Amino acid sequence: DTDRRVLKTQKTTTMKSKTTTLFSASTLALCAVMLFTSNSSAAPKDTLDAADVKFVKTEAAAGNAELKIAELGVQKAERADVKAFAEMLVKDHTQANKELNALATEKGVEVSAVISPKHAEEFQKLEKASKADFDKEFLSEMVSAHEKCVSNFEEAAKDAKNSDVKAWAEKMLPTLKAHLDKAKELAAK
């Protein structure tokens, strides 16, 4: 009988302890949510419309992919001029990606650092390309990617609703057009 009372007292104490711990954890979580909510509402993000968000996300993904492919070009290019082009792409796209990520953060847009399956497939194709074929395939990919990119940036420079997104697209266009021209020039050799 005494053993049952001791066991019952232990169970009650354990239940109270678990309840207190659960209550404390819930209270802390609620406070954290309230703190986060009050901080984020104190400094509202400049929201973007759907088209601007799509542009930022699409170009962040494309920029990350082009950087990875350019880094591969630095490693695998046979021709010195193609290797120099790949090095220029790495430098320019590293800076552009940094600026776009800052803009995305400022505007409250989450961008992924993960390369999309489409871009990953292209990277793997180039990674497996023979030394003899790499330069040609790399330049072909850079022409194709930069044609799409220039088109998207021209559209954003003209139609973006957010002035910061519009200004960034306008700022990047000359560099992207220069990349496209250089890729076409090298591909023609």
Side-chain angles (χ1 to χ4, degrees), residues 3 8-9 32 35 41 57 60 70 79 85 100-101 116 127 136 142 145 153 168-169:
D3 288 342
K8 188 175 180 181
T9 304
L35 181 64
S41 64
K57 286 185 173 201
R79 292 175 24 199
F85 175 60
L100 183 55
N101 285 333
S116 71
E127 194 174 38
K136 180 182 175 190
M142 288 300 99
F153 274 74
W168 187 76

Side-chain angles (χ1 to χ4, degrees), residues 69 72-73 76-83 85-86 89 122 125-145 182-189:
I69 291 172
L72 184 63
K76 288 190 72 171
E78 289 291 305
R79 292 175 24 199
D81 56 353
V82 175
K83 188 177 287 283
F85 175 60
L89 291 174
E122 188 58 42
K125 180 180 150 198
L126 287 168
E127 194 174 38
K128 293 175 185 172
S130 69
K131 284 188 172 209
D133 293 335
F134 180 82
D135 289 359
K136 180 182 175 190
E137 289 183 30
F138 171 75
L139 291 170
S140 174
E141 171 58 23
M142 288 300 99
V143 168
S144 173
K182 188 67 175 177
K184 285 179 177 179
E185 173 193 321
L186 292 171
K189 287 185 178 181

Side-chain angles (χ1 to χ4, degrees), residues 45-66:
K45 300 251 185 232
D46 184 9
T47 57
L48 303 180
D49 74 350
D52 288 356
V53 168
K54 182 180 178 189
F55 169 76
V56 169
K57 286 185 173 201
T58 299
E59 293 313 317
N64 287 333
E66 285 187 39

